[in-house]
Every structure is written in C-alpha cells, then in structure tokens.
Amino acid sequence: RKLCDAAILVFLILTGAAMLLPLLSVFLHSLENGGRTGSLYKILYLPFPISLKQYGRALIGDRETLCYFWNSVKIAMPVLLLQAAVSLPGGYALAKFQFPCKRLLFFCYVLVMLLPVQVGVVGAYIFFDRIHLTDSLAGVVLPGAFSTFGAFLMYQFMRTIPDSTLEGARIEGAGELTVFVRIALPQAKAGIASLVILVLIDAWNVVELPMLLLRRQALQPMSVLLRYSGIGESDTVFASIVVFTIPM
C-alpha cells in the first residue's frame, strides 16, 4: 500500500510539474531582451543576458498595456463583488426556503448555466445596445454579475447546512438576516472560497463580451489585448502575459 501511495504521489507531482511547464516557459522568455525568433521554439532554456527592461516597459513605459491591465481589474472586481452579493442570498433561498415555482426556477437556472456563452451573445448585444451600454464597462460587468452559476454553486453548499441548526437559531429569536449572516455563511466558507476563485478567473479572462460590446480600444481588458498580440510584435508580450497571470 505504501508503494502504491508513493507511486501515485510521484505521478501527481510529475503531472503538476508538466502543467507548470508552459507558465515557466513564458516566464523564461519574458527575461530575454530582444525577442530572438530562434528561441521561441525552445520550451525551457536560460536566456542570456537576462533583462528586466521588458517588465519596466510593460508596467511603466507602455501606458496602453497598463491601461488594459486596470480595465481588467475594473471588470473583474465589480463582477466578483456583485456576483457574491447576488449568489449568496440566492443560493441560500433556493436551498432553504419553500416558495411557488421553486423547481421551475431552479431548472431555468441550470438550463441557462448549461448554455454556451456564444448562444446569448447576440441577445446581450441587442439588449445593451437598446439601453446604450454597448461602449461601457457596465455592459461587460452586468452579465457576469448576474450569472446563474454562482447561485447554483452556493445552492450546492447551502443545502448541506442542517435545517435543525437554522431552526434552533430562529427559536432563540434570531432574525432571518442574522441566521443567514452568522450561521449559514460561516458554514459555507468552502463554497464562498470556490465562488470567489471561479468567478474571478472567469471575469479576469473574459474575451467574447468585451470584443462585442466595447468599441473603444481604450476600454478593452488585457485579455483581449493578449488575444491579438503577436509573438514577434514586441519583446514585452511575454512580460505582459506574466503580469496578466500574477493576480490569478
């Protein structure tokens, strides 16, 4: 049994290292000044001479790259905060309350969650064009903030909280808001952590909606910039990728 556990551990370590190879390769390329074409075909190598000038240009010198980075922050953080504000009470209500058409509502949540993003893109464009938000960050933030995934995820965690614990608090005189904040949320910490990580990753890497809704290039997030950046265009591309990856 110990030999089997050791073999599994070695396998997992090697697999994890293999998953990190692309990121390590990008980091090594980001240390090379000049972007020599021949080195692009090397996965792992030690660049010489090592230079950090690219990071200076990506963070300070190139104001456009820095602007795109902060656009990503302006999109990801509101999406995260609004998603948490909507999903936590929404998942709690779906898990612990009984109300008419609850099953139908939950079915609609699951159905919308299973649909590909591309299915709702045209409808989203028409809707936000009618309310004049096609060239605003709000048009990208609102669809992510009111996604059904967060409520579905929190529903899965909230339903594991014993009803007897909540009923005991109500009998002791606690209001529904107190029960939710002081009893339900502390027991759903794992779910909240999962929600924060998954929503932040999704909002940070969003590409389709900014490309469709944001006409001004100055409003585009860094995920769209890297989507159209060519490897040979600038020696700051790899440094920009590393900077874009750091928050994640």
Side-chain angles (χ1 to χ4, degrees), residues 27-39:
F27 175 71
L28 292 175
H29 280 289
S30 71
L31 298 177
E32 181 183 21
N33 189 15
R36 292 185 295 274
T37 306
S39 63

Side-chain angles (χ1 to χ4, degrees), residues 175-243:
E176 202 59 52
L177 182 60
T178 303
V179 173
F180 172 66
V181 174
R182 303 191 63 179
I183 297 178
L185 290 185
Q187 296 190 58
K189 288 181 179 179
I192 297 174
S194 301
L195 177 69
V196 169
I197 293 172
L198 295 175
V199 170
L200 187 59
I201 290 175
D202 187 56
W204 189 257
N205 295 310
V206 64
V207 174
E208 290 88 356
L209 282 176
M211 288 175 57
L212 183 68
L213 298 177
L214 300 179
R215 299 169 183 171
R216 286 180 293 169
Q217 190 174 0
L219 295 176
Q220 296 285 359
M222 202 167 180
S223 55
V224 177
L225 169 69
L226 296 178
R227 170 66 176 80
Y228 287 104
S229 295
I231 294 297
E233 291 181 5
S234 173
D235 56 356
T236 62
V237 171
F238 287 109
S240 299
I241 294 174
V242 174
V243 170

Side-chain angles (χ1 to χ4, degrees), residues 70-88:
W70 286 112
N71 286 340
S72 296
V73 175
K74 292 176 184 178
I75 291 174
M77 295 311 298
V79 167
L80 177 61
L81 296 176
L82 291 173
Q83 179 76 267
V86 172
S87 300
L88 293 177

Side-chain angles (χ1 to χ4, degrees), residues 46-60:
L46 185 62
F48 183 82
I50 293 177
S51 174
L52 297 178
K53 293 181 180 179
Q54 304 83 262
Y55 287 94
R57 286 193 292 269
L59 293 172
I60 301 174

Side-chain angles (χ1 to χ4, degrees), residues 52 75 80 85 102 115 123 139 142 148 150 153 155 160 164 166 173-174 191 206 217 227:
L52 297 178
I75 291 174
L80 177 61
K102 174 183 173 180
L115 292 176
L142 293 177
T148 59
L153 180 66
Y155 164 80
T160 62
S164 58
L166 306 180
V206 64
Q217 190 174 0
R227 170 66 176 80

Side-chain angles (χ1 to χ4, degrees), residues 96-158:
K96 297 303 179 183
F97 291 162
Q98 298 297 327
F99 51 88
C101 301
K102 174 183 173 180
R103 291 179 178 272
L104 178 62
L105 178 63
F106 183 72
F107 173 77
C108 292
Y109 266 59
V110 176
L111 183 63
V112 172
M113 186 182 66
L114 293 177
L115 292 176
V117 177
Q118 292 78 8
V119 173
V121 163
V122 176
Y125 178 81
I126 295 173
F127 175 77
F128 286 111
D129 184 56
R130 293 288 179 88
I131 62 176
H132 306 290
L133 286 179
T134 51
D135 201 19
S136 171
L137 292 178
V140 182
V141 170
L142 293 177
F146 295 96
S147 171
T148 59
F149 169 75
F152 175 80
L153 180 66
M154 293 313 304
Y155 164 80
Q156 301 296 331
F157 283 91
M158 293 291 185

